[in-house]
Amino acid sequence: MTRKQRWVVLLAIVVPLVLAGAAAGGLHWLREWDRHPAPDSGRPGSWMTVSSEFVGEFSRVRPPASAGEVRWAYQKGFQDDTAYLSFRLPPGEEERFLADLGTAVEPSVESPVDSGALEGFRHAGAPDPGAAGPLREGSFLAEPLPGHNKRLAAKLWLATEADGGARVWVYGMDAP
């Protein structure tokens, strides 16, 4: 085999390997980009920068003016968007808050907060509901907002704190 033929064979082997490696690297980058979209990109899975008022309107749960330590997050979904809201009610405010909300809460059984909701609360910078002690939970289904075609399914958890106040966590998802 001549020197020229060896180079042709070598190039015939090396070039496809280099191209295959580049294609695999590109596909890996595209998959990572798809699985972890940039914040505020509006792509499914991206965390959006919105106001607490927006999250309150979306979730149909507005923290009372007396609420403190308000934390929120909003994630754009492929079909359904999700909102996460947490706040602390001062002592004596829980009953009025629940009456205004129009939902009952009952003691939780098993593991009440799923991993998706926990991730959202962590993203919002809210305390972990699993570390809060005994939780009570409630849920409600709300009609679509004007101009929207999806209802809202919301779940909330409450934990009484040592001073008699309450910590509230709300997870809301729009649903067809």
Side-chain angles (χ1 to χ4, degrees):
M1 185 181 286
T2 68
R3 186 176 190 164
K4 185 176 179 182
Q5 289 173 330
R6 277 188 239 149
W7 273 106
V8 169
V9 169
L10 181 63
L11 286 175
I13 294 171
V14 171
V15 169
L17 289 174
V18 169
L19 290 174
L27 288 174
H28 172 75
W29 178 81
L30 282 172
R31 205 167 98 190
E32 284 302 305
W33 177 75
D34 191 46
R35 286 181 12 199
H36 305 289
D40 292 321
S41 67
R43 295 188 48 244
S46 63
W47 292 98
M48 305 298 288
T49 302
V50 298
S51 66
S52 64
E53 291 80 15
F54 178 88
V55 171
E57 179 80 14
F58 178 88
S59 68
R60 318 304 200 280
V61 177
R62 289 161 191 83
S66 61
E69 302 173 32
V70 180
R71 304 283 185 266
W72 66 93
Y74 183 80
Q75 189 174 33
K76 186 80 174 156
F78 177 69
Q79 292 181 343
D80 302 318
D81 297 348
T82 53
Y84 306 88
L85 178 63
S86 177
F87 52 92
R88 186 182 186 290
L89 295 171
E93 296 277 328
E94 181 181 328
E95 292 301 321
R96 190 174 75 190
F97 168 73
L98 290 173
D100 290 347
L101 191 57
T103 190
V105 293
E106 301 293 331
S108 267
V109 293
E110 300 176 12
S111 174
V113 184
D114 69 28
S115 62
L118 283 175
E119 178 188 349
F121 293 133
R122 279 189 210 111
H123 188 82
D128 183 350
L135 290 175
R136 293 170 290 139
E137 67 179 87
S139 61
F140 62 91
L141 191 61
E143 291 304 314
L145 291 171
H148 295 272
N149 62 350
K150 292 184 174 184
R151 299 188 311 170
L152 177 93
K155 192 164 192 178
L156 64 118
W157 297 271
L158 282 96
T160 303
E161 296 187 326
D163 69 350
R167 169 68 62 180
V168 179
W169 295 268
V170 180
Y171 166 69
M173 175 187 291
D174 58 3

